[in-house]
Amino acid sequence: MPTSDRRVALVTGASRGIGKSIALRLARDGRHVVLASRSAPPLNDLKSQIESSGGSASVLAVDVADAPAWGKAVESVADQFGRLDILVNNAGITKDGLVLRMSDEDWNQVIQTNLTSAFVAIRAAARAMMKGRFGRIVNIGSTSGVVGNAGQANYAAAKAGLIGLTKTIARELGSKGVTCNLVAPGFIETDMTANLPQPIKDGVLQLMAVKRLGQADDIAAAVAYVSSDEAGFLTGQVLCVDGGMTMC
Ligand code: NDP
C-alpha cells in the first residue's frame, strides 16, 4: 500500500517497552507509524526493523515534556502527511516516593511528561483528525490512576488526570468521527518495572487472576483494537489490561 493511503499513527515512547510493541503492532496492521521519543538511535533501529518486514515508519526525536516544541512537532506530522489518524500518548516516566518526601520537581516532571504532553498532542492533532472526519486517540494510563498506589502520588494523579482528559475529549470530538479511549496497563515487564525488588513482583503476581506478569504485546493488542477502524462505537472508555489484578 502506498504511504499516502495508509492511516498515519503517531506513537510516543516508541523507543522501547510498551510503545515499541504498539509501534510494531500498528505497522504490522498496515499503518504508517511515526516513532517518537527523545533519542533518535533506537527509533532508527525500529524504523529499519519495521521496513525490513514490509512496513512503513518514520522517526521523530522529540521531548514531549517540552510543550511548545512537542505541539509544533505534532502539527508538523499532520502537515507532512496531510493526515493524522491515530495518536497514542504512551510516553511516561515514574519518579516514585512517599508524599512527605516528594519534591515539587518530581511532581511537576511527572505531570508534565505523563499528562500535559497528552493534552498538548491532542490539541495539536485534533484539527487534522476533525478535517479527516476520523481519529483514534489512545491514552496510556495505568491501574495506579484508577485505584491509586502508595509511593506514586505524582504518577497516579497524572494517570487519573488522563482519564478525565479522555472522557472530555471523547465528548468534544465524538460527533467528528474522533474517538478517545484510555488503556490502563497493570504490571508489565519493561525497563520501567525491571528494577523493582523481587518481593514486590511476587506480591503483584499473587494479585493477578491469570497468574503471570503482563507483556508489552498484551497492551499492543488492546491498542490495536481501540485504534482500529471498527472500534468507532467505543469511546470515553477505560480499558484495564492487567491480568485481572484490579478488575477496575
Ligand atoms: P519504559 O520506561 O520502558 O519506556 C518509556 C518510553 O517513554 C521510552 O520510549 C522513553 O524514551 C519515552 N519517554 C520518556 N520520557 C519522554 C519524554 N520526555 N519525551 C519523549 N519520550 C519520552 O516504560 P513502559 O514501556 O513500561 O511504559 C509505557 C507507558 O505505559 C507509560 O506511560 C507508563 O506509565 C505506562 N504503564 C506502564 C506499566 C508497566 O508496568 N510497565 C504499568 C502501567 C502503565 P526515551 O527515554 O528515549 O525518550
Side-chain angles (χ1 to χ4, degrees):
M1 190 192 295
T3 303
S4 59
D5 291 341
R6 293 177 192 256
R7 290 215 179 279
V8 173
L10 171 56
V11 179
T12 69
S15 61
R16 58 178 187 270
I18 292 171
K20 182 176 179 180
S21 281
I22 293 170
L24 284 165
R25 174 62 196 261
L26 295 186
R28 208 175 80 205
D29 290 352
R31 305 354 182 147
H32 174 86
V33 187
V34 182
L35 310 165
S37 60
R38 283 170 296 191
S39 157
L43 299 178
N44 287 327
D45 290 348
L46 182 57
K47 174 176 151 56
S48 301
Q49 190 183 338
I50 288 172
E51 287 175 346
S52 64
S53 326
S56 174
S58 46
V59 164
L60 182 65
V62 64
D63 181 351
V64 302
D66 178 350
W70 173 225
K72 283 201 188 82
V74 176
E75 283 171 10
S76 75
V77 169
D79 290 346
Q80 183 187 348
F81 294 97
R83 62 193 297 170
L84 180 49
D85 305 290
I86 298 166
L87 168 66
V88 184
N89 289 308
N90 164 79
I93 55 167
T94 50
K95 296 268 173 193
D96 295 352
L98 293 172
V99 72
L100 287 178
R101 286 197 289 268
M102 187 172 285
S103 67
D104 289 357
E105 194 191 346
D106 285 353
W107 171 269
N108 288 329
Q109 233 181 312
V110 169
I111 297 292
Q112 189 71 30
T113 305
N114 296 11
L115 176 59
T116 308
S117 69
F119 155 70
V120 168
I122 291 167
R123 184 177 59 186
R127 192 163 287 118
M129 288 182 171
M130 286 161 66
K131 199 168 147 217
R133 296 203 69 80
F134 179 92
R136 299 281 182 266
I137 299 167
V138 187
N139 294 318
I140 304 299
S142 166
T143 50
S144 296
V146 184
V147 298
N149 195 18
Q152 290 198 309
N154 48 4
Y155 183 81
K159 297 298 192 181
L162 280 176
I163 295 175
L165 178 66
T166 298
K167 294 183 182 217
T168 299
I169 298 303
R171 291 187 190 281
E172 285 192 18
L173 302 185
S175 65
K176 313 287 186 207
V178 180
T179 66
C180 186
N181 292 287
L182 181 136
V183 172
F187 190 103
I188 309 297
E189 288 189 295
T190 67
D191 289 357
M192 186 176 270
T193 50
N195 293 329
L196 289 173
Q198 195 56 42
I200 293 196
K201 290 186 188 173
D202 292 343
V204 167
L205 195 55
Q206 288 308 310
L207 299 173
M208 302 269 187
V210 302
K211 298 299 173 210
R212 71 167 174 87
L213 298 178
Q215 301 303 313
D217 283 352
D218 292 317
I219 305 306
V223 173
Y225 171 63
V226 165
S227 64
S228 67
D229 284 29
E230 64 195 325
F233 203 56
L234 182 83
T235 197
Q237 295 303 306
V238 174
L239 184 60
C240 292
V241 182
D242 67 352
M245 183 175 69
T246 63
M247 305 199 187
C248 53

